[in-house]
Amino acid sequence: MNPPQNRPWTVYIETMGCQMNVLDSELVLGQLRARNYRQVDSVDAADVVLINTCSVRDHAEQKALSRLGVAKKPKKRNPDMVVGVIGCMAERDPDAIMENVPYVDLVCGPGELNKIPAMIEEVRATREKAVALTLDKKRKSTLLERSLEYDSVEALDLSRDPAPSANTLQSYIRIQRGCDKFCTFCVVPNTRGKERSRPPQQIVDEAKMLVDRGALEVTLLGQTVNSYLHQDGGKPVNMADLLYLLNDVEGLERIRFVTSYPGDFRDEIFEAMRDLPRVCEYLHLPVQSGSNNVLKRMKRQYTRESYLDLIARGRSIVPDMTLATDFIVGFCGETEAEFAETLALLDEVRYKNIFCFKYSPRPDTVADKALADDVPDAVKRERNQRMLAAQERISLAQTQAMIGQTVEVLVEGYSKAAIKAQEAEQSRGEEVSWRRSDQLVGRTRTDRIVVFCGTDAHIGRLVRVKLTGATALTLFGDPVDGVASLPPRRARSADGGLSIPIHG
Ligand code: SAH
Ligand code: F3S
């Protein structure tokens, strides 16, 4: 089919939810770019509008429906527009989407995203709705069938665009799909299917390609990333083995991985973190609750004691490791005493930062079917606030204790918060006290955010920063070395390869 008015088709994509969705959107865009689509940043300018959705909490689904409303008027003006809902909500409840938003043309689950280009063409040619789901609700296909269909979506990761895209410094690599844990509150196994690990060679090749594109840091993605295990013939490759393989990728500076599951975490991973220079000393290890009773109701397959023991072992092997975690407060039947155990866990572990969520019942999960959502919303909110306030004190004590230290920062770019503050100053007609290009942001190996005054020349480099101030989540400082004394930035040679390594 010809593009409208002989110009390239344009696509607008909006992404909600986790890093996996961010990666999925990038890969879908790459496939469309390869077919000559051009990305635009407004719905009005788009021929194709895609909303990549999240189902983890009800709030995320409501937000997706309201974002879809933004396409209503433009779609009326331009009936040729294709409006698509992709990702977890598409897989979980396609009928609700079709009923609530009649102008949706395309619904595609996260396991079928490689079909998007063909689906768009089909809609444009026929004006019929196109639907691709891994679990065909009408056929009631089993999880086993779903896992057999897995290889079709492997094509999405393999299609990755080798051309540099907007953010080339840091990239995600999927190493695992789906989840088999079936925590009673969680919708992910229903939307992303069975756990499957990608072949290690493909992951290594992808890392090399991303380094060629300019990546200095890769983050390996999986729902329970530490249980990565690939075993197609030959020798099994586990998560620690994979870290060793990736540590050998020339030009890669930092390797991270999220999210780890506390139930089957092997010490070998800590040893790899200690022994491999590229593996960062940072672990996202969701605990969800500090109460054994609640953990049991959540079917989390570990106890408070075994979790604390795991952290103690990790810290004895990697003393400077930082930790982040997720909590759910107000889960079914959570008493004040059970919540108090969760609150106390904060002081015991002393995380770098936490993500804390109010329990949101999800249809078709065990908790939703078998347990009462009996903690009032006001109590959930109050517990959430107590958690965040307690953590803020802990984070602030940690960051303030770092003042005076010199840390290594991978400089990502201008600080968005600083830019916003400057724009606000300008719009109030105030004299701008500093230049936008002064405020740069980056992260330490331990995932702490550092803001400092620098120049364009710092971006994309590892810079030593002496810390002079701190809030709970942000460190401030001054670069130690002048730009002239930084190692050369990697430059792209004419054939797209890299000619100068960042470290000689
Ligand atoms: N292992 C996955 C977990 C996905 S869900 C990962 O990659 O992070 C992310 C977080 O959302 C979970 O750790 C949990 O804290 C939270 N969450 C999941 N289901 C939830 C629900 N029904 N209500 C509230 N929070 C939930
Ligand atoms: Fe969800 Fe538990 Fe898996 S939180 S993603 S079912 S480990």
Side-chain angles (χ1 to χ4, degrees):
M1 209 178 149
N2 291 323
Q5 293 114 41
N6 294 326
R7 60 169 173 80
W9 288 356
T10 51
V11 55
Y12 170 83
I13 191 162
E14 202 168 298
T15 308
M16 291 160 184
C18 63
Q19 293 109 324
M20 205 62 108
N21 268 13
V22 173
L23 174 60
D24 281 339
S25 289
E26 183 195 328
L27 296 176
V28 166
L29 268 179
Q31 289 203 337
L32 293 175
R33 231 181 275 122
R35 286 163 181 78
N36 212 23
Y37 281 71
R38 190 167 57 82
Q39 187 183 0
V40 290
D41 57 11
S42 86
V43 173
D44 284 311
D47 301 310
V48 177
V49 173
L50 299 174
I51 308 289
N52 193 358
T53 56
C54 169
S55 283
V56 162
R57 285 167 289 279
D58 182 58
H59 176 72
E61 295 200 343
Q62 296 310 321
K63 193 169 146 203
L65 290 175
S66 99
R67 290 305 298 155
L68 275 165
V70 175
K72 190 172 180 178
K73 273 191 192 151
K75 169 83 177 173
K76 220 173 200 164
R77 276 197 304 273
N78 170 16
D80 282 341
M81 178 187 266
V82 177
V83 177
V85 181
I86 67 178
C88 286
M89 188 180 175
E91 182 71 40
R92 197 191 69 73
D93 202 352
D95 296 339
I97 295 167
M98 298 285 198
E99 277 158 30
N100 282 305
V101 197
Y103 50 88
V104 165
D105 303 291
L106 178 162
V107 175
C108 183
E112 308 295 318
L113 296 175
N114 56 318
K115 297 181 181 154
I116 297 258
M119 290 170 77
I120 294 172
E121 297 226 1
E122 187 187 317
V123 172
R124 297 195 81 126
T126 65
R127 291 316 314 176
E128 301 274 335
K129 290 184 193 295
V131 178
L133 304 171
T134 308
L135 179 61
D136 184 335
K137 280 27 175 212
K138 297 204 175 63
R139 270 196 313 127
K140 291 245 184 308
S141 69
T142 62
L143 281 176
L144 181 67
E145 277 179 79
R146 274 211 266 173
S147 75
L148 293 176
E149 289 173 48
Y150 162 86
D151 285 341
S152 71
V153 77
E154 184 69 24
L156 184 70
D157 291 278
L158 291 174
S159 74
R160 198 157 189 161
D161 184 359
S165 60
N167 182 9
T168 50
L169 192 63
Q170 293 154 309
S171 285
Y172 293 128
I173 302 181
R174 184 174 0 245
I175 68 168
Q176 189 190 52
R177 291 179 183 280
C179 182
D180 283 345
K181 295 285 188 281
F182 285 94
C183 302
T184 57
F185 54 81
C186 185
V187 81
V188 171
N190 300 346
T191 61
R192 291 205 177 246
K194 272 188 79 64
E195 178 187 311
R196 296 290 298 261
S197 294
R198 295 185 61 211
Q201 193 54 49
Q202 282 177 16
I203 296 167
V204 170
D205 288 347
E206 209 168 311
K208 285 182 181 159
M209 185 264 274
L210 292 167
V211 168
D212 274 351
R213 257 169 48 162
L216 290 184
E217 176 177 305
V218 295
T219 301
L220 312 176
L221 298 184
Q223 304 296 342
T224 58
V225 75
N226 50 308
S227 55
Y228 174 89
L229 183 67
H230 190 268
Q231 212 162 7
D232 258 5
K235 194 172 152 281
V237 175
N238 66 23
M239 183 60 189
D241 301 329
L242 183 67
L243 291 173
Y244 273 87
L245 292 173
L246 287 166
N247 191 67
D248 286 341
V249 171
E250 196 69 33
L252 198 55
E253 286 289 338
R254 291 179 173 186
I255 302 167
R256 303 185 189 280
F257 52 94
V258 290
T259 304
S260 293
Y261 182 76
D264 37 50
F265 200 102
R266 300 163 67 105
D267 288 1
E268 287 162 37
I269 298 177
F270 292 133
E271 285 154 13
M273 202 181 258
R274 177 194 61 199
D275 297 338
L276 299 177
R278 285 162 177 157
V279 177
C280 292
E281 297 77 16
Y282 165 73
L283 197 63
H284 187 165
L285 194 64
V287 63
Q288 313 299 356
S289 169
S291 149
N292 282 335
N293 289 339
V294 176
L295 290 173
K296 211 173 211 168
R297 295 202 289 280
M298 291 176 164
K299 200 173 140 274
R300 283 293 285 187
Q301 302 175 47
Y302 55 84
T303 61
R304 178 193 177 96
E305 293 73 29
S306 69
Y307 181 85
L308 288 172
D309 184 52
L310 173 66
I311 288 178
R313 290 202 315 275
R315 284 186 166 149
S316 73
I317 299 170
V318 191
D320 49 354
M321 173 176 70
T322 56
L323 286 158
T325 198
D326 299 352
F327 287 104
I328 295 177
V329 291
F331 186 62
C332 310
E334 186 187 68
T335 62
E336 185 57 34
E338 287 167 347
F339 171 70
E341 292 185 73
T342 300
L343 202 55
L345 190 78
L346 286 185
D347 276 320
E348 239 172 288
V349 177
R350 301 189 73 78
Y351 296 100
K352 173 178 76 71
N353 67 307
I354 64 166
F355 301 90
C356 191
F357 308 104
K358 295 185 297 170
Y359 171 58
S360 164
R362 307 311 298 132
D364 294 324
T365 56
V366 171
D368 189 45
K369 287 190 237 168
L371 302 170
D373 173 27
D374 53 1
V375 178
D377 194 58
V379 176
K380 288 180 185 171
R381 201 174 328 126
E382 188 249 352
R383 289 181 185 171
N384 197 5
Q385 284 162 359
R386 281 161 71 190
M387 290 290 285
L388 295 176
Q391 180 59 36
E392 183 164 347
R393 283 194 297 276
I394 293 168
S395 295
L396 189 62
Q398 289 176 15
T399 52
Q400 290 201 323
M402 292 177 73
I403 293 173
Q405 290 177 14
T406 297
V407 293
E408 185 195 68
V409 178
L410 177 58
V411 185
E412 294 164 19
Y414 299 114
S415 156
K416 275 192 198 130
I419 293 171
K420 250 198 190 148
Q422 190 196 34
E423 282 167 358
E425 279 179 37
Q426 274 170 331
S427 73
R428 288 195 301 267
E430 290 170 18
E431 197 184 324
V432 174
S433 48
W434 37 270
R435 283 179 305 121
R436 176 162 85 180
S437 60
D438 285 350
Q439 299 282 307
L440 298 174
V441 65
R443 282 177 197 257
T444 64
R445 289 173 62 90
T446 53
D447 202 47
R448 292 201 188 267
I449 299 166
V450 180
V451 169
F452 67 98
C453 289
T455 71
D456 262 5
H458 286 109
I459 297 173
R461 292 182 170 196
L462 292 165
V463 175
R464 289 189 303 150
V465 176
K466 180 153 192 210
L467 301 175
T468 55
T471 63
L473 289 182
T474 310
L475 294 155
F476 301 89
D478 299 315
V480 172
D481 315 293
V483 174
S485 63
L486 291 173
R489 194 185 337 218
R490 292 190 310 165
R492 197 160 278 283
S493 65
D495 62 4
L498 292 165
S499 52
I500 313 168
I502 189 154
H503 287 327

